[in-house]
Amino acid sequence: MSSLRVMLGILAAGFMLSGCMQATHFEATNTQNFKPKDKELLAKIRYENTPVAEPFRRAIVDYHRKESPGSIVVDSDNHYLYYVMDGGKAIRYGITVGEEAMAWSGIAKVGSMTEWPAWHPTPGEISRLGVPTFVAPGPDNPMGSRAMYLYSGGKDTLFRIHGTNQPEYIGASISSGCIRLTNEDAIDLYSRVKIGTIVVVLEPKHGDSPYNSRLALQGGGYQTSN
């Protein structure tokens, strides 16, 4: 029942957002830009590659906040991650975020980056989820295709931006605190960021919708190719 409620919530959010958006032109992911290892491992996935609801598909949108180009802003309330560009634009990605009690907010930097990472669950995750102490890299690893590790004050926050093997939950709050993108979007974002990239994770109720709709509910733009 919990999974059904999550999916119904995603659909409801999608209908509300799509009702306020102008026409948006999307493009399919350009797999020609994937590395050979990406193509090999993504061809071996055993999870269902569920299409993301339209309001959470990758798109270029108008951006009114003041963060510098090249930075990342995470709006956990509304399940969006923004990669800020020049000219008042941003690439907007749909995300899965942590449940409220596990969420993290603040300002950090990308301290390290890994392609097809292994997963080393924390003691809390091992106890709570019953997972092993180590999960090897691969298409069925919950960390997915890419991981960007967030540091603050020179220390690992244990908060990550990474891929997922559960694309059906993009637009929902189910994870243990980290930000998840589809594996294809994680590859795209990873290609744009670098060590030291600033990441702003907004506090709860500090996002732009439903508290201020100009960012999350504005329309226009198009989905970028990898």
Side-chain angles (χ1 to χ4, degrees), residues 34 38 42 145-146 183-191 226:
F34 285 3
D38 297 331
L42 288 174
S145 59
R146 299 289 191 274
N183 282 323
E184 293 79 8
D185 281 355
I187 292 171
D188 182 81
L189 178 64
Y190 188 97
S191 71
N226 283 315

Side-chain angles (χ1 to χ4, degrees), residues 147-176:
M148 290 146 273
Y149 301 82
L150 305 189
Y151 283 65
S152 180
K155 297 182 179 180
D156 188 353
T157 65
L158 301 180
F159 194 73
R160 289 84 170 87
I161 299 171
H162 62 83
T164 182
N165 58 2
Q166 294 179 305
E168 67 271 23
Y169 292 128
I170 296 296
S173 303
I174 65 162
S175 75
S176 298

Side-chain angles (χ1 to χ4, degrees), residues 29-161:
T29 296
N30 185 0
T31 58
Q32 296 302 313
N33 291 330
F34 285 3
K35 295 181 179 180
K37 185 175 182 179
D38 297 331
K39 295 179 181 180
E40 175 190 352
L41 293 180
L42 288 174
K44 296 178 180 178
I45 62 172
R46 290 183 292 181
Y47 61 83
E48 184 177 354
N49 201 6
T50 306
V52 174
E54 184 171 300
F56 299 108
R57 289 170 58 189
R58 187 186 344 148
I60 291 180
V61 297
D62 293 327
Y63 189 79
H64 71 269
R65 292 176 59 91
K66 303 301 182 183
E67 286 80 17
S68 299
S71 59
I72 291 172
V73 177
V74 178
D75 180 357
S76 298
D77 285 333
N78 303 291
H79 305 95
Y80 287 127
L81 180 151
Y82 296 87
Y83 178 79
V84 184
M85 301 191 300
D86 291 314
K89 298 290 185 179
I91 303 174
R92 187 185 67 196
Y93 303 86
I95 56 175
T96 303
V97 301
E99 296 169 346
E100 184 175 357
M102 303 177 188
W104 182 89
S105 62
I107 299 176
K109 293 183 179 181
V110 175
S112 63
M113 304 169 62
T114 306
E115 298 185 9
W116 293 100
W119 184 33
H120 301 269
T122 64
E125 288 172 328
I126 294 170
S127 174
R128 185 174 67 256
L129 303 175
V131 294
T133 58
F134 173 80
V135 179
D140 297 314
N141 185 310
M143 294 289 288
S145 59
R146 299 289 191 274
M148 290 146 273
Y149 301 82
L150 305 189
Y151 283 65
S152 180
K155 297 182 179 180
D156 188 353
T157 65
L158 301 180
F159 194 73
R160 289 84 170 87
I161 299 171

Side-chain angles (χ1 to χ4, degrees), residues 1-16 169:
M1 288 297 292
S2 60
S3 296
L4 178 59
R5 287 196 294 270
V6 168
M7 296 306 297
L8 290 175
I10 294 172
L11 291 173
F15 287 136
M16 288 188 292
Y169 292 128

